[in-house]
Amino acid sequence: MISKFKEDFFWMLRKEKGYYPWVDYDRWRLGKLLDECHAMCLKCKHAHEGSNEDLIRTLVSRNVCENELIDLFLKALIRAEIRFVSRYVPQRSHEERLTGNLVAEIDNSIHLIADEVRNASLKRYSESRIIDFLYYDLSRGGKIEKETGADLGFILVVDLPDHSFLVKSLILQAKKIHNSCQIDDAQYEVLKRWCAEEGKECPCYLFYDMNLETLTSPLVLPIDELTIQTKHEEATERNSGSFSLSFNDVCKEGYPLSIFVALRLTAKEYGKAHSSFKDAREYFDSLSREQWFNGRVGIASIGKKINFNTDNNEILEISI
């Protein structure tokens, strides 16, 4: 277990928050994901046959990814989620402020493991590799987000000697949920039309569990999953203008943000693939110009430093 993260991981294990409610709903999904990482030792595999606590303890205390740098990234995201649900969700802020708190914790957690990543890369590659994170604002004012439903973006870059070069983008709409929540039908239609356009990625909802009894890690649910599509179709038939999603609906097909970004985003079926970071950055810039996306974008780079400056007329220039 990463010593810098012990206090937060112990809080999750002691309070049974964070991953616990999601694992309680369907524990075998996490077990399957761990097996897919191809690095489970016999003791780790045995944990799948034990309690939910055994499974979660395995996740936070052992290398569950074949590549240790990816594993450290996953651990940093989990730690950020724990601090988010324990410190900020109970303050009952609105979605935009909560999103800012979450991304700030991701930034902090990633930079805390800089030394661990550097040491792991020296051992694995005999050269120093780094992990970096930057959060930048594409907001142009107005109320674009309410019309489009997109207010948070991610770009993940993986550039390592023994890993296929990867640049993926992800678009999210943050939504608070307390046992259940209402999804605006018109907003969902906009997201659905965007998803249907050639070359466009499938946006996702990012649910913040506001129930203090559960305090689940933020859950990502793609808009094309069966449950949410069925709910939308039923609402359209009733001409109701909105539809309800239960917490169980979200747990059924959603994933914690940490798993979705660190493990699922590298799968072909999630996110939009780009040929380079420059292509991904231009993609978000075009969305902003088209007034479809008006939010903030988090950039995570595993392997190379994120360079930025404001020399060009105070416009932030970013490169990797």
Side-chain angles (χ1 to χ4, degrees), residues 21-38:
W22 180 71
V23 174
D24 282 343
Y25 185 83
D26 186 357
R27 70 189 305 271
W28 297 109
R29 295 177 74 197
L30 178 56
K32 183 175 183 293
L33 281 170
L34 296 183
D35 283 337
E36 287 175 354
C37 292
H38 305 299

Side-chain angles (χ1 to χ4, degrees), residues 246-271:
S246 70
F247 178 73
N248 284 344
D249 289 333
V250 176
C251 283
K252 179 181 179 181
E253 294 175 337
Y255 288 94
L257 178 66
S258 49
I259 282 181
F260 198 90
V261 171
L263 303 181
R264 299 286 82 191
L265 199 56
T266 58
K268 293 181 179 180
E269 65 268 28
Y270 293 112

Side-chain angles (χ1 to χ4, degrees), residues 19-283:
Y19 264 57
Y20 274 86
W22 180 71
V23 174
D24 282 343
Y25 185 83
D26 186 357
R27 70 189 305 271
W28 297 109
R29 295 177 74 197
L30 178 56
K32 183 175 183 293
L33 281 170
L34 296 183
D35 283 337
E36 287 175 354
C37 292
H38 305 299
M40 299 298 294
C41 65
L42 182 62
K43 185 177 290 187
C44 296
K45 286 181 178 294
H46 180 69
H48 294 190
E49 302 173 2
S51 65
N52 290 352
E53 181 177 348
D54 292 332
L55 194 59
I56 296 171
R57 190 178 294 275
T58 294
L59 178 67
V60 299
S61 63
R62 299 179 183 275
N63 277 4
V64 298
C65 299
E66 190 279 329
N67 189 299
E68 188 177 351
L69 279 72
I70 302 293
D71 191 79
L72 287 166
F73 177 54
L74 172 63
K75 301 292 196 290
L77 293 177
I78 295 173
R79 187 257 187 179
E81 291 173 344
I82 295 170
R83 290 176 66 85
F84 172 71
V85 301
S86 64
R87 294 165 180 253
Y88 297 106
V89 168
Q91 297 184 41
R92 307 292 192 183
S93 298
H94 53 72
E95 283 98 341
E96 182 178 1
R97 183 166 294 173
L98 286 170
T99 298
N101 296 144
L102 173 60
V103 178
E105 288 297 344
I106 292 174
D107 187 6
N108 180 48
S109 293
I110 285 177
H111 284 95
L112 279 176
I113 59 169
D115 290 342
E116 284 80 359
V117 168
R118 188 176 297 107
N119 292 336
S121 65
L122 286 170
K123 181 178 179 180
R124 188 178 183 92
Y125 307 123
S126 298
E127 62 179 82
S128 179
R129 292 287 179 137
I130 69 171
I131 189 168
D132 207 354
F133 186 83
L134 179 67
Y135 190 42
Y136 77 99
D137 193 355
L138 276 174
S139 176
R140 295 173 180 265
K143 298 182 178 179
I144 300 173
E145 178 269 323
K146 291 185 178 180
E147 297 172 5
T148 63
D151 60 0
L152 176 62
F154 270 99
I155 298 174
L156 174 63
V157 179
V158 180
D159 191 349
L160 299 172
D162 61 347
H163 194 287
S164 58
F165 178 72
L166 178 142
V167 182
K168 281 286 192 74
S169 65
L170 177 67
I171 292 177
L172 300 161
Q173 162 61 41
K175 186 76 176 176
K176 294 196 293 187
I177 186 170
H178 189 292
N179 300 325
S180 66
C181 69
Q182 290 295 119
I183 303 295
D184 182 79
D185 201 52
Q187 187 183 70
Y188 180 85
E189 280 287 349
V190 172
L191 293 171
K192 184 180 178 182
R193 288 196 299 271
W194 177 261
C195 189
E197 291 188 26
E198 184 178 357
K200 300 295 193 287
E201 67 176 280
C202 178
C204 305
Y205 281 99
L206 176 62
F207 290 98
Y208 299 146
D209 178 18
M210 306 305 292
N211 187 340
L212 299 185
E213 294 184 3
T214 49
L215 288 178
T216 312
S217 297
L219 296 171
V220 176
L221 180 66
I223 69 163
D224 62 349
E225 291 291 355
L226 179 60
T227 297
I228 193 169
Q229 283 197 81
T230 301
K231 297 274 188 176
H232 165 66
E233 291 168 1
E234 292 173 349
T236 301
E237 292 177 0
R238 298 192 305 269
N239 196 28
S240 62
S242 66
F243 57 95
S244 177
L245 280 179
S246 70
F247 178 73
N248 284 344
D249 289 333
V250 176
C251 283
K252 179 181 179 181
E253 294 175 337
Y255 288 94
L257 178 66
S258 49
I259 282 181
F260 198 90
V261 171
L263 303 181
R264 299 286 82 191
L265 199 56
T266 58
K268 293 181 179 180
E269 65 268 28
Y270 293 112
K272 178 178 175 61
H274 301 272
S275 60
S276 64
F277 170 72
K278 181 181 178 182
D279 180 59
R281 174 72 193 273
E282 290 176 349
Y283 175 67

